[in-house]
Structure formats: structure tokens, C-alpha cells
Amino acid sequence: MTFDSIVGHKQQKNILLRALNSQHVAHAYLFEGPDGVGKKMVAMDFVCAQLCQSKNGCGCCSACLKVESNNHPDIHLLAAEGQALKIDQIRKLQQDLSLRPMEANGKYCLIDGAEHLTTGAANALLKTLEEPQPGTILILLTNQPDKLLTTILSRCQRLSFSRLPKHNLAVILSSKLELDETQAKILASLSEGSFKKALGTNRELFLEKRRTLIQSLSALSAGSIIPTFSLADELEKDKEVLPDILDIFQAFFRDLLLLKHNRPEEELVNLDLIDCLQRQKNTTTTSLLLKLKALETARFHLQRNVNRRLALEVMLMRIAAA
Ligand SMILES: [Zn+2]
């Protein structure tokens, strides 16, 4: 993928492209923004464009191929070990940076999760930032810039990244994952502009499991205790994906609200469940709002580590009764 062909983050890319074209690339950058929006992808492609033999990240030359396979000797990737980016890691990096580049004209370093720098590590890194070596480019990535030393912040050129608009993410997903248009749109909607969410384990949940979860939820009725308990049983199993399942249910009720108010179908998330949505179109607005409220209450309690099973049962009973 060439630097120019990355979808989204246009403004950020333009700034970087201008720097490349005018040969005014900064010694240090800070890419800040939520996790999973593609900061690292842009950083890697920016570095790739500098290493590339055609100077555009052609994707075919030997330098590009090495970058793509994480195999370029002049790129140094640093990430937290456990919960911290430690001073030893920074010292090792400084040692590496003090050596001549192996193949390129310069050395490139990506520090992913810079918010995890310990105080010692941050102070050590500050030295590198204060005395930049010619040809050395550092890119720090973080989701929490306020956790970095102001002295570090002031020495970096800062670029802020936000979540990608739904349609941009859908275009990327359909090309990367070979999804059809509908699937790509569903995945993009439920991933809220996050690549990580869309490309990770959520893909199967959002595309396949979503359908059965919504069917089970729709089948509940006020008197049906056993199906309610068995669905609670299923939801309880995987604590990690529970917030995403609540997002799925929320999107479904929201779709019903939109449909009731004659919004165009393209605004819906569950584009592949139009028939199912149409069948439930007669649910009243009051009832849908109560169902959404039940979801929100459950989310509130689950974030506070209450009895998970109980919170889910109460939520499902409220949804069924609403
Ligand atoms: Zn190339």
C-alpha cells in the first residue's frame, strides 16, 4: 500500500507528504488519538515512503518488502513490556541509534504506547529528543498525550488522529478483508472507526454471531423465563466481548427507531437483517426507549463489577417486558 493510497486521515497525510516533498521531515513526531484508528499504519507507511527506492512506498522494491514483513534493519519498534516502557528499552534504543544505518540513509524508530514510558525512560528519551542525530526520526504513538512529559511534547511535532468516518472504514475493510459491501458497512458501523476492532476477533462476532444474538433477543417475551435465562447464560460466558454485544443490541434497537421514523435504510447498521427489522417495526417508540434504557443501566452496572449474571438477567427481563 503506498502512502498516498491510505484511506482517511487526509489532513495528517498531507502534512507528512509536504514534509517529505520539501525534505523537511521533523526529527520527532507524536501521533496522538484513540487506539486502533490507524496511527501505526500511517507511521509505518510514512517511514516506508522514506526508505522506498522510488520514494513513494511503492510496495514492490526490496526496502518496501522488508518494511512490510517487519524486517527492515533500520526500523526500530518499541512497545511496552507488560505495563511499562522501561529505561532499559530506551537505553538499548539509544545504543542502536548511535550505530550507522545498515541499509538506509537514516534510522527510524516507532515508540508505540508512549503513555507507558516510565519516568526514568521518559527522561532518558528526552536526551535523544534534545540532541537529535541527523537522519534519525522518532515517531511516538499514544492514546493519552497528557500522560507524557511536557518537555517531550514540546519537542515533537504533534499530529492528532480521530476515528475514521464509517464510509472510509468500510472502503478499507472491503478491500482488506474481501467482504461484500453490506458486510463491510456493518463491520464499519459496529467498530466505531476502529481498525483494531474491525480486524480483530470482533469480526466474527459482528458479522456472524450478531445475527443469532439478535434473533435470540427478539424471540424473548415477557413471560418467557427459560429463554431469558439461557440467553443470559450465553452472554455471561465471555466477559471481554460483553460490551460489544451490548453495542450490537443497542444498534439493533436504534435501527428499529430509525426505521419507525422513516429514515433511509443506508443509515441502518443491520443492513442484512432488514426483514427481521421490518417485522418488528410496530414496536412502539416508548418500548424501544425502555429497551435502550435497560441496556444502558446494565452497561453502567457491568462497568462497576456488580454480579454480572444478575445484571444480565434483569436487563433481558426488562427488554422482554418493555
Ligand atoms: Zn518501494
Side-chain angles (χ1 to χ4, degrees):
M1 184 186 278
T2 68
F3 188 62
D4 216 15
S5 70
I6 305 173
V7 180
H9 304 311
K10 200 166 176 192
Q11 200 191 349
Q12 294 83 345
K13 279 183 337 193
N14 280 341
I15 293 172
L16 297 171
L17 272 174
R18 271 203 302 276
L20 278 177
N21 293 335
S22 63
Q23 298 184 339
H24 281 105
V25 175
H27 289 294
Y29 288 91
L30 177 70
F31 289 5
E32 51 191 83
D35 273 341
V37 294
K39 298 189 296 291
K40 194 172 173 189
M41 191 170 81
V42 174
M44 283 306 280
D45 286 334
F46 179 51
V47 169
C48 189
Q50 296 172 73
L51 292 166
C52 170
Q53 282 149 17
S54 331
K55 293 288 161 207
N56 62 0
C58 67
C60 340
C61 70
S62 66
C64 282
L65 293 175
K66 280 181 186 167
V67 175
E68 199 152 308
S69 56
N70 279 330
N71 223 357
H72 199 292
D74 297 316
I75 299 182
H76 302 273
L77 289 172
L78 234 65
E81 285 174 1
Q83 277 306 301
L85 257 157
K86 298 175 187 136
I87 190 164
D88 293 347
Q89 292 175 269
I90 299 296
R91 290 207 173 116
K92 166 83 174 54
L93 173 75
Q94 285 166 332
Q95 239 169 36
D96 290 339
L97 293 180
S98 70
L99 304 171
R100 280 172 168 280
M102 310 263 269
E103 294 176 13
N105 292 324
K107 287 187 162 261
Y108 301 85
C109 168
L110 256 69
I111 301 182
D112 197 2
E115 68 278 6
H116 295 299
L117 285 164
T118 62
T119 313
N123 281 314
L125 180 66
L126 196 54
K127 295 229 163 57
T128 305
L129 292 169
E130 279 168 348
E131 296 155 24
Q133 301 212 17
T136 296
I137 290 160
L138 267 79
I139 305 176
L140 281 64
L141 312 174
T142 186
N143 57 11
Q144 289 163 283
D146 48 331
K147 283 205 171 165
L148 300 183
L149 297 178
T150 49
T151 38
I152 287 189
L153 295 176
S154 69
R155 281 179 173 79
C156 296
Q157 179 171 345
R158 296 172 72 170
L159 280 185
S160 177
F161 290 73
S162 41
R163 296 194 189 284
L164 283 177
K166 204 163 80 176
H167 58 272
N168 278 352
L169 186 60
V171 172
I172 301 170
L173 292 175
S174 64
S175 69
K176 277 208 169 199
L177 301 179
E178 291 175 14
L179 299 172
D180 66 39
E181 202 187 326
T182 305
Q183 287 179 315
K185 280 182 179 165
I186 295 169
L187 197 51
S189 299
L190 287 166
S191 309
E192 297 166 56
S194 160
F195 281 105
K196 230 182 222 168
K197 260 190 157 183
L199 298 173
T201 47
N202 286 320
R203 183 176 157 196
E204 200 223 323
L205 171 70
F206 286 159
L207 289 181
E208 305 303 329
K209 209 159 165 236
R210 173 183 49 91
R211 300 164 64 95
T212 42
L213 284 168
I214 287 176
Q215 271 157 14
S216 308
L217 185 74
S218 304
L220 298 182
S221 63
S224 57
I225 291 298
I226 291 171
T228 306
F229 283 4
S230 67
L231 182 55
D233 206 31
E234 199 190 327
L235 300 188
E236 191 198 2
K237 276 185 209 144
D238 198 343
K239 189 178 152 195
E240 297 301 313
V241 300
L242 203 45
D244 296 323
I245 292 178
L246 297 189
D247 285 346
I248 287 173
F249 290 164
Q250 189 178 23
F252 180 71
F253 294 136
R254 184 176 170 273
D255 279 355
L256 278 173
L257 273 175
L258 293 174
L259 210 58
K260 275 187 82 63
H261 293 90
N262 300 318
R263 301 298 304 169
E265 279 189 3
E266 70 210 36
E267 287 183 18
L268 306 180
V269 172
N270 296 283
L271 295 163
D272 56 345
L273 293 173
I274 298 283
D275 289 348
C276 170
L277 286 162
Q278 288 289 2
R279 278 199 300 277
Q280 296 184 52
K281 206 180 154 184
N282 290 333
T283 318
T284 64
T285 303
T286 316
S287 160
L288 287 172
L289 292 176
L290 282 171
K291 290 176 196 286
L292 284 164
K293 180 90 178 29
L295 278 176
E296 274 324 291
T297 309
R299 207 190 288 270
F300 177 86
H301 288 308
L302 290 167
Q303 280 163 352
R304 280 156 190 79
N305 289 320
V306 296
N307 182 328
R308 193 156 79 234
R309 177 66 193 229
L310 183 64
L312 288 169
E313 284 173 0
V314 171
M315 175 189 86
L316 293 175
M317 281 194 262
R318 283 186 178 150
I319 288 176

